Amino acid sequence: MNGINTKYTVTLKVLTPLFIGQGIEKDWVKGIDYIDKDNTLYHLDLSKMSEEEGIDMNQLSLLFIKQDTEGVRKLIGDKLAAVSDFQLSLPCKSSNPIRTFFRNQYTQCPTIPGSSLKGAIRSILFANMRGSEDTRNEAVFGKLKNGGDFMRFIRVGDFAFPKIGSTQLTNTKIYNLHRDNNEQSWHGGWKHDKKNTNKEFKNHGFNTICECISYASEATGTILLSP
C-alpha cells in the first residue's frame, strides 16, 4: 500500500463560520471576562489591569463577585482598550454567556482537535461505503475488538489557527417545532422564549453568541497513515 507510514501536511480552509465548544466553564461572562462598548467586545486581561495605574484590584474583585458590569465599566473608565488583550465586533445583544471556541490550553490558539476531524472523516467514509442493507458500523470499518477497524491506520493531528484575528462572534438561535394547543400539526419556528416560538426571526431573545472560526481562515496540520 502506497503512503503507509507517511505524514501528510494538509491545509484546512473554513468554508462557513465554524464552532467547536470547550465547555461552559470557559464561556465569557459579561462584566467578568469582557465589557461591551459601541457594539464591540473588549476581552479583559487581568495582568494588564493589575499593571494599569488607577485601577484598584481589590475593588475590581468585589465588582466581579457581584457581576456588577456597570461598576467594572466605571472603574476602568477610558482605559478599556489598554486593559484588553483583543476586541471583537458584537453582532447583537444577548443575556447569555458567550460560547467560546475550543483552544489549545498551552498556546491559547483556537484549535480544531484531530479527534473531531477524524470523526468527520469517519462519517464521510461511512456514508459512501455502507451497503444499502447492512448499515452497521462494523460492517463498514471492521471490529474494534479484534483490531480489524481500518480507521486505526489514520491518525489526524490538531489544526491550530492564529491566536488573534481568526475568530468572529456569530449570533445563533434555536429553530424548532411547535404547535398551538388546539392544533394537530406541527410548525417550524424561531424560539424567542421558553413558550414563545413563531415564524418571525428576531436576533435577540433566547439567542446565544458563539465565537467561531471566520470564513476563509486557514490552518495547517498533519494526517498520518500508519500500520
Side-chain angles (χ1 to χ4, degrees), residues 16-19 28 88-89 91 98-99 101 165-171 209-217:
T16 183
L18 172 68
F19 175 73
W28 293 334
L88 292 170
S89 177
I98 293 176
R99 301 291 308 279
F101 197 88
S166 59
T167 63
Q168 67 180 58
L169 298 180
T170 302
N171 187 32
I209 298 174
C210 296
E211 182 195 23
C212 300
I213 299 295
S214 302
Y215 165 77
S217 295

Side-chain angles (χ1 to χ4, degrees), residues 57-116:
M57 296 302 292
N58 291 326
Q59 183 180 355
L60 183 66
S61 297
L62 293 175
L63 293 172
F64 280 165
I65 292 173
K66 297 177 181 178
Q67 294 190 19
D68 186 349
T69 303
E70 288 305 313
V72 174
R73 195 193 308 272
K74 290 179 181 178
L75 182 62
I76 295 173
D78 59 358
K79 301 174 183 178
L80 191 53
V83 299
S84 62
D85 50 0
F86 61 85
Q87 295 106 48
L88 292 170
S89 177
L90 274 168
C92 61
K93 299 288 186 181
S94 177
S95 59
N96 297 318
I98 293 176
R99 301 291 308 279
T100 59
F101 197 88
F102 182 86
R103 277 178 165 73
N104 179 293
Q105 294 304 300
Y106 179 71
T107 65
Q108 287 301 304
C109 291
T111 300
I112 299 179
S115 57
S116 296

